[in-house]
Amino acid sequence: MIWIDTIVQGILLGGLYALFALGLSLVFGIMRLVNLAHGDLIVLAAYLILVLVTLLGLGPFMAALLAAPIMFGIGWALQRLVLNRVLGPDILPPLLVTFGLSVLLQNALQEAFSADSRRIPAGWLETSSVSLGPVSLGLMPLLTFASAILVTLALQWLFYRTALGRAFRATSDDPTTASLMGVKPEAIFAKATGIAMVVVTIAALYLGTRANFDPTIGPARLIYAFEAVIIGGLGSLWGTLAGGVIIGVAQTVGAQINPEWQILAGHVAFLVVLLVRPRGLFPRAFD
Amino acid sequence: MARSSYKVTTRTGASQIAALVAAVLLVAAIALPTFASRSLIQDMFFILTMLTLAQFWNLLAGYGGLVSVGQQAFVGFGAYMLFGGAILWGVDPVAGLLLAGVAALVLAVPTAFFAFRLHGAYFAIGTWVVAEVVRLSVAQWKAVGGGTGTSLPRDARDLMWGVQWIESAFEVRSSEARDILTYWLALALTVATIGGVYWFLRTKRGLALAALRDNVEAARSVGVDSERMKWIVFLVAAFGTGIAGALIFLQNGRISPDSAFSVIDWTAFVIFIVVIGGIGTIEGPIVGVLVFFALQTLLADYGSWYLMILGALGIAVMLFSPGGLWGIISDRTGLRLFPIQRRLERRDGLQQKEVEEERP
């Protein structure tokens, strides 16, 4: 019985990792850019929500709704002012710039909010749970997983049912031809990063309400997100969700065997997938 | 025209002067402990070991195109093998340095096996994952202190090869003698690294590596085996990084998984040194480490501001001057202290012709 509970908890935890990963997957799918500051941007969004909650006395969900357009703006500006200038055939400049940004963000957050660990208060939601047969599920983990599915569906719809999605796919396939058709790759990239930052805000909402966070935890979130993307297969949104679930289950099962093995078990699962299926489980489902 | 009237050379006037200056500096550096204070020796140790790490990362990323964010795996693993060797098997720490290099080399084989399945940016994070796996595994190794770490045993420290000789020769206490010994070892490692990298880049394989950096398809079409070159560069860098890591923690005397596998200390700083100084040149990391040390000394009291400035400086260099400081200097002046550009020169020196290898 304990194992069923462990696996269900792992699946729900996987929803959180999928939320971390979906923004990364989106940006990579469109512009082949890996943002090494992705985890730190999640932490930035979590602090933004925390500030809105404490300053305006809002609930966490309202605060996230307010934070989302701000994060969109940050993502848009980041792409326009910095990342567009370093995109190109050479992968070194974007990597080094986002790595610099990661270090910059971590330390700016440390300067602004100190190194103390914080949590976004979510009131009664924090402790509520639902009984489902033999297992009891926290409401917050359930909401996280439901959000991950919703975000995946929404991105899928955006990609295949909207004009913007068509522009995304066209730019991803061939920026030169797309620009002949009146699509401006720079503007498309800026919108894509903005949307990725909205996903980041949703991820931050659950990161910050479910557990403590501090300015230094970004890189570890980046690693989980990255593992989920690779396990799922580059560019596949549903694959990314599956990848998150695999990491989540591996971690809870590992922790059940020995609490010190939680993180290690997630990494080992990733390496095993890389060994058996180097291109991930569902490579290139789209694009 | 007879072929024999031409020769291929890399030498320039500046490089000959640079070699002379380097020789003088080297003699001064060897003699440094006879007159310098202990804190200066420690600062020099820091500069030299960071320079060594930077040279190896530059070989990986600047020449091999392998942007690794996981070099802390080799720093930490090498250092832990030195401590483990001394604690479990009584290996003398100086000999342990070689053990550390070999251990890092062995670790590099499975690391490369996994990481080479990923390309570009994903390779970078892949190496980071491996480093995390190694850190978490080492934290389970109870004999060397598990998650909290351990110190080098007193016997191993005080009876290390050379320490007693330095104690009597310089009339200093054993802790100071250890600093002098590790400084000399760091100096030897740095000279061997720079000399070795320079030599390697001037060989046939080095030319192949530069060709791959400039254009993978073109290099392959003339028969360069890119997979093989990637393996060679990755393994060599792991070996050197492992020795440097072991040396850093030998001087430190204490080790813990968090300090030994720190991504900030052993990868972020190293990347900033190379990027700010100038990636893809031997001179770049030398300039970079001096700037890095100056910044660290100036901003030591400002904590996280220091790292923010370093991060911002790295971004600014990449945006506005990707060649780094050395790139600016050498573009303006044409100066090259470690030239690897081959030129065809007539023996009578009347005509010079540059034949190959554009600068990046």
Side-chain angles (χ1 to χ4, degrees):
Chain A
M1 209 57 359
I2 186 96
W3 288 107
I4 296 178
D5 186 57
T6 304
I7 288 171
V8 172
Q9 302 299 344
I11 293 172
L12 295 186
L13 179 64
L16 182 65
Y17 295 159
L19 283 174
F20 294 159
L22 283 165
L24 202 66
S25 188
L26 174 77
V27 169
F28 184 85
I30 295 170
M31 61 191 105
R32 303 286 177 275
L33 170 82
V34 172
N35 186 348
L36 290 184
H38 187 76
D40 306 290
L41 286 162
I42 298 174
V43 178
L44 172 73
Y47 275 105
L48 182 60
I49 295 172
L50 181 69
V51 166
L52 292 172
V53 166
T54 35
L55 280 188
L56 307 177
L58 297 169
F61 289 88
M62 272 308 290
L65 209 59
L66 214 61
I70 302 176
M71 286 305 292
F72 181 95
I74 291 176
W76 189 89
L78 177 67
Q79 187 69 40
R80 267 271 133 131
L81 300 177
V82 182
L83 299 181
N84 273 343
R85 310 176 63 138
V86 288
L87 279 180
D90 188 0
I91 59 146
L92 198 64
L95 265 185
L96 297 182
V97 164
T98 54
F99 193 68
L101 185 67
S102 162
V103 172
L104 186 69
L105 269 179
Q106 273 178 52
N107 288 284
L109 288 173
Q110 192 138 333
E111 197 61 37
F113 296 99
S114 85
D116 298 344
S117 67
R118 311 288 286 271
R119 188 166 181 167
I120 301 170
W124 57 272
L125 269 173
E126 283 174 23
T127 48
S128 313
S129 61
V130 218
S131 281
L132 222 85
V135 289
S136 158
L137 304 174
L139 203 55
M140 223 45 203
L142 270 178
L143 275 176
T144 313
F145 193 75
S147 303
I149 293 177
L150 277 178
V151 169
T152 311
L153 278 172
L155 289 179
Q156 203 76 18
W157 172 80
L158 179 78
F159 258 82
Y160 293 104
R161 295 276 180 276
T162 65
L164 182 62
R166 195 156 52 236
F168 279 166
R169 283 179 288 137
T171 319
S172 161
D173 287 346
D174 186 345
T176 318
T177 313
S179 60
L180 289 174
M181 306 297 149
V183 171
K184 288 202 182 87
E186 286 79 19
I188 288 296
F189 290 161
K191 279 181 194 150
T193 304
I195 292 168
M197 286 306 113
V198 172
V199 179
V200 155
T201 315
I202 299 168
L205 169 69
Y206 294 111
L207 170 80
T209 49
R210 288 177 54 152
N212 288 341
F213 60 92
D214 66 67
T216 61
I217 67 161
R221 308 312 114 171
L222 166 74
I223 290 181
Y224 301 154
F226 156 79
E227 289 174 340
V229 173
I230 297 286
I231 290 178
L234 293 181
S236 160
L237 293 172
W238 287 111
T240 300
L241 182 64
V245 168
I246 289 173
I247 300 287
V249 171
Q251 285 195 0
T252 51
V253 168
Q256 188 63 41
I257 298 168
N258 179 343
E260 290 182 21
W261 291 354
Q262 181 185 348
I263 311 295
L264 193 56
H267 295 327
V268 170
F270 162 73
L271 292 179
V272 169
V273 173
L274 194 59
L275 191 67
V276 187
R277 298 283 296 264
R279 298 190 61 221
L281 300 177
F282 312 101
R284 300 204 169 239
F286 75 87
D287 123 62
Chain B
M1 201 169 296
R3 287 173 70 93
S4 59
S5 63
Y6 285 96
K7 63 175 178 173
V8 174
T9 182
T10 60
R11 215 182 286 175
T12 64
S15 80
Q16 280 166 308
I17 296 169
L20 209 65
V21 173
V24 172
L25 280 178
L26 181 60
V27 172
I30 294 171
L32 193 69
T34 58
F35 55 86
S37 70
R38 189 175 171 190
S39 71
L40 180 64
I41 295 289
Q42 287 172 343
D43 286 345
M44 284 297 294
F45 175 83
F46 176 73
I47 291 175
L48 290 171
T49 47
M50 290 310 275
L51 177 56
T52 304
L53 292 177
Q55 287 291 354
F56 281 114
W57 190 82
N58 185 36
L59 182 69
L60 271 181
Y63 288 96
L66 297 167
V67 186
S68 166
V69 191
Q71 290 307 99
Q72 69 273 21
F74 305 116
V75 169
F77 196 65
Y80 261 100
M81 283 317 274
L82 180 129
F83 276 62
I87 291 168
L88 297 174
W89 310 303
V91 178
D92 187 281
V94 177
L97 290 173
L98 199 65
L99 176 70
V102 173
L105 187 70
V106 171
L107 175 67
V109 174
T111 305
F113 179 75
F114 280 109
F116 285 172
R117 295 177 161 232
L118 301 162
H119 296 282
Y122 281 98
F123 170 82
I125 318 185
T127 56
W128 198 349
V129 172
V130 173
E132 281 297 288
V133 169
V134 178
R135 176 177 71 87
L136 292 164
S137 307
V138 164
Q140 303 285 319
W141 190 8
K142 303 295 181 224
V144 287
T148 47
T150 188
S151 297
L152 202 59
R154 177 175 287 274
D155 287 357
R157 257 172 29 201
D158 296 348
L159 301 176
M160 197 164 34
W161 292 339
V163 165
Q164 281 167 331
W165 179 80
I166 295 171
E167 269 178 62
S168 55
F170 288 81
E171 290 171 355
V172 290
R173 287 185 297 123
S174 77
S175 59
E176 203 170 338
R178 260 200 328 273
D179 279 348
I180 293 174
L181 178 66
T182 49
Y183 162 75
W184 274 338
L185 289 170
L187 184 64
L189 183 62
T190 310
V191 171
T193 303
I194 295 178
V197 169
Y198 187 39
W199 168 80
F200 178 71
L201 292 176
R202 302 208 313 173
T203 61
K204 207 169 83 179
R205 284 190 196 292
L207 187 61
L209 189 62
L212 277 175
R213 175 197 63 194
D214 293 340
N215 189 330
V216 179
E217 275 76 33
R220 276 190 177 153
S221 73
V222 293
V224 175
D225 185 344
S226 65
E227 275 302 306
R228 190 192 159 93
M229 290 309 300
K230 270 161 69 176
W231 273 93
I232 292 175
V233 167
F234 196 77
L235 295 184
V236 166
F239 180 73
T241 304
I243 295 179
L247 188 55
I248 290 167
F249 283 89
L250 171 60
Q251 194 259 357
N252 197 326
R254 236 203 96 68
I255 196 166
S256 72
D258 288 344
S259 62
F261 294 95
S262 161
V263 65
I264 292 286
D265 288 347
W266 315 127
T267 296
F269 284 163
V270 166
I271 291 180
F272 290 139
I273 288 172
V274 175
V275 168
I276 293 170
I279 193 164
T281 60
I282 294 177
E283 297 91 338
I286 300 174
V287 175
V289 80
L290 296 176
V291 172
F292 173 73
F293 181 73
L295 276 178
Q296 199 180 51
T297 312
L298 283 174
L299 301 169
D301 300 332
Y302 298 94
S304 46
W305 282 101
Y306 160 61
L307 281 162
M308 281 160 67
I309 290 173
L310 211 55
L313 203 59
I315 295 174
V317 166
M318 263 296 142
L319 283 179
F320 303 111
S321 174
L325 290 176
W326 182 255
I328 297 172
I329 297 171
S330 87
D331 282 352
R332 294 270 158 83
T333 60
L335 196 62
R336 257 149 243 180
L337 302 183
F338 296 91
I340 53 171
Q341 195 169 35
R342 291 159 178 80
R343 296 188 325 279
L344 200 59
E345 211 169 69
R346 251 172 80 162
R347 288 204 193 277
D348 53 19
L350 285 175
Q351 192 187 2
Q352 280 197 2
K353 199 174 168 193
E354 302 215 340
V355 283
E356 57 203 339
E357 226 228 328
E358 289 281 301
R359 278 184 50 77

